[in-house]
Structures are given as C-alpha cells and as structure tokens.
Amino acid sequence: QVQLQESGPGLVKPSETLSLTCNVSGGSISSYHWSWIRQSPGKGLEWIGWIGDIYYSGSTNYNPSLKSRVTISVDTSKNQFSLKLRSVTAADTAVYYCARNVGLSQFDPWGQGTLVTVSS
Amino acid sequence: SYELTQPPSVSVSPGQTASITCSGDKLGDKYACWYQQKPGQSPVLVIYQDTKRPSGIPERFSGSNSGNTATLTISGTQAMDEADYYCQAWDSTTVVFGGGTKLTVL
C-alpha cells in the first residue's frame, strides 16, 4: 500500500524558506493528487495546498491565506512532491503532514508528520 | 471563507453512543470526511464521502450528512476511541477542516 514519509530541516530561521519533501512509496505519484497539511502545537489541522495528478497536469491550488508564500511541486522521477513556504515566521511552527488526496475528497494515507520550528 | 464548526469536546461512557457534529452552510451538498487523531499520531481517515468506512475501520463508526450538519456516530464506544476527531470538506477548490472535537470516554 501507499506510504508517505516527510523529510526536511526541523529548524528554520525567520524570514527564510521552509522546504520539505514527501517521499511516496508503494504507488506511482502520477496517479493521485497530493496535499500538504499542517498542525500548529496544540491546534487543529490547516490545509496548505494541493497538486493534481497527471490528468490535472500537475495543477496546484493553495489555501488563500498562504497562497502568496507557498509552492507545491512534484518530481515524478523521484516519486516525491515538495513544499516551499517563503518568509516564515514563528506562526509557521507546526507539524507538517503530507497526504494522498483521493478523488478530490478524502486524505488517505497521511505521512507521520515532521515538526518544523521557526526560530533564530 | 467557508467554515466548519465542531463542538470542542464530547464525553461518553464506555459502551454508549457518541455523536460528534460538524456544521457548515449547505454542508449536505458537499462530501464530508472524518479523521481520528490520537496523541502524537497522524490523523487516520475513519469516514469518507459522508457514510463510507475505509477498510480496517470498525463497524461501530458511521456517518451521515444532511442539511447543514454532518455527524460522526460511534456506537458501543470503547476506551480506544478516545481521541480528537476532525471533519473535512471541500469548498469549491479549497479544503476546509473543522476545529476538532476531543472525545473523552469516561
């Protein structure tokens, strides 16, 4: 079955760019849609954005509140997709999850999550 | 922007039925999903497309969605069901999560 694993720096300085990668195993990345979701400490889930499958030509859609700072991309050769969040502040400190988006409906499965702390 | 509202907490006695609601404008016109999240773990899908259970999810989990409210029902609640539960829906091309409900089994 499909499994996801996030990777990237656990500490990012304010004003810099947060970069994370999600490695997909057990299935082709081209066949599904993919999303990034985050959860600030002790808070709820916040959707960051989505990248479509091959039939959507890899189109993207982002949370309006983050749209100006976010880029999600896919590397089909590595079966990975990535998140870049620019100009981070302490408010971007969160556990970041990658997830498969099935049929523009549910998210399943999710990665284990990775904590990113924004601090100098 | 579209919003989904959940009660912050729900309590239930073991063996009883727990109901967690999720409210949003014309939510019944959209598909609702539900996720269970235990401390230190990733969310797990328990209900999708309003009423469907993924394989491996116990039959005691069920869902409904009509009007402005989606409901997650856990019948015969067990101690292991104690967790945070989040509803989720798509509003046009964006995803919205409810604020989450902490289910306490006591």
Side-chain angles (χ1 to χ4, degrees):
Chain A
Q1 77 254 21
V2 171
Q3 293 184 313
L4 293 80
Q5 177 68 60
E6 304 90 348
S7 62
L11 181 64
V12 181
K13 290 183 168 56
S15 80
E16 296 190 345
T17 296
L18 179 159
S19 296
L20 296 175
T21 297
C22 181
N23 185 68
V24 178
S25 59
S28 171
I29 198 167
S30 299
S31 302
Y32 296 96
H33 313 309
W34 307 93
S35 274
W36 286 96
I37 297 156
R38 71 181 183 180
Q39 186 171 33
S40 299
K43 302 296 185 182
L45 301 169
E46 179 181 31
W47 175 72
I48 297 171
W50 164 93
I51 187 163
D53 65 14
I54 191 171
Y55 298 106
Y56 280 74
S57 302
S59 61
T60 54
N61 205 29
Y62 303 124
N63 186 324
S65 68
L66 299 170
K67 186 175 182 177
S68 63
R69 299 193 291 133
V70 174
T71 301
I72 296 176
S73 59
V74 164
D75 186 337
T76 55
S77 66
K78 295 181 179 179
N79 227 41
Q80 296 175 338
F81 66 106
S82 299
L83 168 71
K84 290 190 185 299
L85 180 63
R86 296 175 290 279
S87 304
V88 297
T89 69
D92 295 310
T93 293
V95 174
Y96 286 76
Y97 296 99
C98 58
R100 181 178 65 173
N101 180 208
V102 182
L104 295 180
S105 175
Q106 66 270 21
F107 296 101
D108 182 45
W110 297 55
Q112 68 181 30
T114 187
L115 174 62
V116 179
T117 301
V118 179
S119 175
S120 56
Chain B
S1 62
Y2 195 77
E3 293 184 357
L4 295 174
T5 301
Q6 299 180 234
S9 63
V10 168
S11 297
V12 64
S13 300
Q16 299 304 301
T17 296
S19 294
I20 301 173
T21 58
C22 175
S23 299
D25 184 48
K26 297 181 181 178
L27 180 56
D29 292 344
K30 312 176 191 296
Y31 274 141
C33 305
W34 291 92
Y35 302 89
Q36 176 193 69
Q37 187 180 34
K38 296 182 179 179
Q41 298 184 17
S42 304
V44 173
L45 179 71
V46 294
I47 293 290
Y48 67 100
Q49 292 181 5
D50 297 338
T51 62
K52 299 178 181 179
R53 268 182 300 104
S55 61
I57 300 301
E59 290 185 9
R60 64 180 180 273
F61 287 87
S62 63
S64 64
N65 186 15
S66 179
N68 295 323
T69 304
T71 303
L72 173 68
T73 302
I74 309 173
S75 304
T77 307
Q78 300 183 9
M80 68 173 64
D81 300 329
E82 186 163 287
D84 293 329
Y85 291 85
Y86 294 90
C87 61
Q88 172 251 311
W90 281 76
D91 177 44
S92 183
T93 57
T94 61
V95 174
V96 181
F97 286 97
T101 298
K102 181 176 181 59
L103 177 67
T104 301
V105 182
L106 42 67

